[in-house]
Amino acid sequence: MSDAGRDDETVPDVDQLLDRAGFDPETSVLTRRQAEVLALRERGVRQSTIADFLGTSRANVSSIEASARTNVEKARETVTFVDALTAPVRVEVPAGSDLYDVPKQVYDACDASGVKVNQTAPDLMKIVSDAAGDAVEGREVREQLFVGVTSDGRVRVRRHADGI
């Protein structure tokens, strides 16, 4: 988010924002302060305005925001890991594989398990490639990947599938 904006910026009611979003500090990986900062930043409020509102420095707001985004990414990674771990369909894609071969492997495994995946082959290749990051270069799978498909057809991709 850019910190550009108006000088007369008003801060929305943060309690109402968190209530509408269903924030529960007892079950969230975010602190209340992190949730407040994220909620305001997602509505385009500048860090300097948030700092004034919270009675702190812009640098502190920046730090809180960075920590919150890191915590959110860790939570997403944890959910992806658990989904992959418990997925009824698990396909190991060895290093050196051709990305174009992955959809058939996934479709075959889904058919064998009675799970429907709602992705076309090109979409599935994109999901795998995007999730794998630099483990896929062009069509080459450079590191072993683990592709899981949940019972509701969601595709989860993990690197370093050893031990799963």
Side-chain angles (χ1 to χ4, degrees):
M1 294 251 146
S2 168
D3 228 13
R6 303 180 322 260
D7 288 337
D8 62 346
E9 195 170 19
T10 60
V11 176
D13 182 332
V14 74
D15 290 327
Q16 191 176 55
L17 291 174
L18 296 181
D19 256 4
R20 278 192 301 221
F23 176 73
D24 179 359
E26 297 297 317
T27 60
S28 178
V29 297
L30 299 176
T31 66
R32 177 167 177 90
R33 181 60 52 103
Q34 288 172 336
E36 290 171 344
V37 169
L38 278 185
L40 293 172
R41 292 293 285 150
E42 291 302 317
R43 275 145 193 85
V45 179
R46 295 178 301 155
Q47 287 180 344
S48 58
T49 302
I50 296 170
D52 289 345
F53 173 73
L54 297 176
T56 189
S57 68
R58 193 210 59 78
N60 189 43
V61 169
S62 179
S63 176
I64 291 168
E65 182 179 356
S67 294
R69 293 192 188 282
T70 297
N71 287 349
V72 168
E73 190 52 41
K74 285 180 179 179
R76 283 186 181 127
E77 174 59 22
T78 300
V79 169
T80 299
F81 167 74
V82 172
D83 279 351
L85 187 64
T86 61
V89 175
R90 301 177 214 184
V91 176
E92 290 184 29
V93 181
S97 296
D98 186 334
L99 182 62
Y100 282 40
D101 294 335
V102 173
K104 181 175 180 351
Q105 293 171 338
V106 172
Y107 295 146
D108 288 349
C110 285
D111 288 346
S113 297
V115 172
K116 180 157 177 60
V117 61
N118 294 318
Q119 304 294 332
T120 64
D123 288 342
L124 190 54
M125 286 187 295
K126 180 166 177 23
I127 289 168
V128 171
S129 182
D130 288 350
D134 64 0
V136 172
E137 187 173 305
R139 288 178 50 170
E140 181 186 0
V141 177
R142 300 179 64 106
E143 289 181 32
Q144 180 181 20
L145 299 176
F146 173 82
V147 180
V149 182
T150 63
S151 56
D152 62 357
R154 287 177 291 136
V155 177
R156 298 293 189 229
V157 180
R158 304 215 19 97
R159 294 165 84 158
H160 310 294
D162 296 336
I164 294 182

